[in-house]
Amino acid sequence: MKKNRKLVILSALLTAMMLFSVACSSGDKEGNGDGSVDIGIVLPTKDEPRWVQDETRFKEALADTDYSVEILFSQGSSAKEKENVESLLTKGIKVLIICPHDGDAAAAAAEAAAAEGVKVISYDRLITGTDAVDYYVTFDSVAVGAAQGQYLIDKASGKDNPLYLYAGAATDNNAFLFFEGAWSVLQPKVKDGTFVIKNSPEAVALQDKAELTRDEMSKIIGQITTNWDFNEAKNKAESHLTAASAADKGDVYILAPNDGTARSIADTFATDSDVTSFVVTGQDAEKASIQYIIDGKQSMTVFKDVRTLVKDSIDMAVSILKGETPGTTGAYDNKNKEVPAKQTEVITVDQENVKAALIDSGYYEASEFTGLE
Ligand code: BGC
């Protein structure tokens, strides 16, 4: 009997030790002890600093997690993205956090996950045209575009200011939201003669319409898209400047959709001798653009605090893993359903507040920049 009691205690101890080791190894971000993964994260590309920043912030936020997490990049390919999701599914993920390369094309990957009972959180960009999206964490993208447009308005005076419009990729739902926001403030200022659109006949044809349908926006975006690609942005800006007369230049205003394309477009406009000055927008607060802003080569950026988005998506994933329902603040139409969403505000940053918004707030180190006052 005594011996039996010892055995029971020993086996209880062994079980406790085993449980403890499972709990520890599940803290290993490379996978649980058995190689399985709890949360899969798929990001669009390493070629843009924006998404490398997200990866860094995910790693920082996950340093102390008890869950195992794996982050994969799709390198601008929907096929690679689907492969990534499939590989995560074989590792037994229960939650997928995914920022699609192409919103419509990613529906297939989301459906593959949903078919295995995996909850899908669309991250920053919405997956469209499917029911297989459970939640969406995002910045207020319409506000991003409105902040960009408003910045141009605030810097302009008088009439007939040349306006050059650029947009993101038409495969990204955000490109529409950014453009919608920008159009909502710029269109009245085109109508009253403050600005004259110089590089998009489609936009000129629609300039009397305050609100555009998705099809109308598609027509404009089709003409002014950068595809989120630095080279495409540069080539497009070059051909617009070649086609424009000296009278279409002078002091110009440029709606550039994000920081990467803003730097390309700004560099191109800077080399045109008929351009006397330009105001150019951006978004993402990429380090290279913060340096451009300090140096006066890019006018503004819209700061989207990735730490908040990362935290919101992890909190959501953890709620799901615990069997709870994550909190949301609204919903976004993905063409198939209203996806419950958690939305974060954005901040306009230019030379005036760059130090307060990005350095004093602890987002970046002052030592990462030169010429900061
Ligand atoms: C994101 C932007 C990013 C762009 C290009 C958008 O969906 O919201 O932050 O600059 O994609 O990657």
Side-chain angles (χ1 to χ4, degrees):
M1 184 68 197
K2 255 192 165 173
K3 212 172 170 191
N4 275 352
R5 257 187 70 195
K6 264 190 186 160
L7 264 179
V8 171
I9 291 169
L10 195 70
S11 85
L13 259 171
L14 274 173
T15 314
M17 277 168 69
M18 270 170 63
L19 279 176
F20 180 71
S21 83
V22 168
C24 284
S25 58
S26 68
D28 169 15
K29 258 70 68 218
E30 300 304 318
N32 291 323
D34 59 1
S36 70
V37 172
D38 302 312
I39 305 172
I41 301 176
V42 178
L43 296 174
T45 178
K46 270 196 185 220
D47 293 342
E48 292 175 40
R50 158 72 214 263
W51 306 112
V52 178
Q53 170 83 228
D54 290 62
E55 181 195 31
T56 307
R57 301 298 185 182
F58 266 116
K59 284 185 172 163
E60 283 167 9
L62 289 164
D64 299 320
T65 184
D66 282 340
Y67 295 101
S68 70
V69 182
E70 189 168 328
I71 306 178
L72 298 175
F73 280 88
S74 309
Q75 292 312 102
S77 152
S78 297
K80 175 80 185 152
E81 180 176 83
K82 181 110 191 303
E83 259 174 46
N84 284 341
V85 170
E86 276 157 5
S87 128
L88 291 166
L89 291 176
T90 63
K91 293 181 182 171
I93 55 162
K94 292 169 199 73
V95 182
L96 172 67
I97 298 174
I98 173 168
C99 180
H101 162 61
D102 172 322
D104 280 339
E111 281 159 14
E116 302 213 4
V118 170
K119 293 286 179 201
V120 178
I121 302 174
S122 220
Y123 178 85
D124 192 286
R125 297 177 179 170
L126 187 56
I127 298 179
T128 37
T130 178
D131 287 338
V133 192
D134 298 285
Y135 298 100
Y136 182 33
V137 284
T138 182
F139 294 102
D140 184 345
S141 296
V142 174
V144 171
Q148 294 170 332
Q150 191 57 47
Y151 195 86
L152 299 179
I153 295 167
D154 293 345
K155 296 291 164 191
S157 57
K159 296 280 174 197
D160 298 331
N161 295 290
L163 177 64
Y164 291 79
L165 302 172
Y166 295 91
T171 51
D172 177 2
N173 190 55
N174 285 347
F176 288 82
L177 301 175
F178 301 144
F179 191 76
E180 179 189 329
W183 187 262
S184 71
V185 294
L186 286 173
Q187 185 274 340
K189 293 290 173 185
V190 172
K191 212 173 166 192
D192 77 5
T194 304
F195 292 113
V196 182
I197 301 169
K198 295 293 179 185
N199 66 332
S200 170
E202 293 286 3
V204 171
L206 289 160
Q207 70 186 22
D208 287 333
K209 276 200 84 182
E211 274 178 40
L212 301 176
T213 63
R214 187 145 177 135
D215 280 351
E216 288 167 340
M217 277 193 277
S218 281
K219 285 187 187 157
I220 303 175
I221 292 174
Q223 206 158 51
I224 59 168
T225 183
T226 58
N227 265 321
W228 295 133
D229 181 278
F230 315 151
N231 286 322
E232 196 161 332
K234 177 173 181 279
N235 294 340
K236 219 155 235 185
E238 272 169 6
S239 64
H240 291 152
L241 287 170
T242 307
S245 67
D248 292 332
K249 299 178 187 174
D251 298 318
V252 308
Y253 295 80
I254 311 164
L255 177 77
N258 76 345
D259 283 349
T261 58
R263 294 193 300 278
S264 291
I265 295 169
D267 289 347
T268 309
F269 274 74
T271 58
D272 190 309
S273 55
D274 291 326
V275 172
T276 7
S277 75
F278 59 86
V279 179
V280 62
T281 62
Q283 74 166 298
D284 292 335
E286 286 183 3
K287 282 182 199 165
S289 279
I290 297 312
Q291 190 61 59
Y292 261 48
I293 289 174
I294 296 167
D295 296 342
K297 294 184 342 191
Q298 180 178 325
S299 315
M300 64 86 81
T301 187
V302 180
F303 173 38
K304 311 201 299 191
D305 192 332
V306 170
R307 293 171 302 187
T308 311
L309 209 60
V310 160
K311 182 176 182 309
D312 285 348
S313 59
I314 294 173
D315 286 352
M316 255 187 196
V318 168
S319 298
I320 294 167
L321 288 166
K322 286 183 179 164
E324 297 162 1
T325 304
T328 49
T329 53
Y332 272 74
D333 182 2
N334 86 335
K335 300 192 256 181
N336 253 49
K337 70 183 269 198
E338 290 288 322
V339 184
K342 175 110 185 4
Q343 182 171 286
T344 292
E345 298 313 310
V346 297
I347 300 171
T348 297
V349 171
D350 69 0
Q351 267 185 357
E352 296 295 309
N353 67 341
V354 65
K355 189 167 170 294
L358 293 168
I359 311 297
D360 300 347
S361 70
Y363 198 72
Y364 290 137
E365 300 283 330
S367 59
E368 295 175 280
F369 306 98
T370 57
L372 197 64
E373 280 169 22

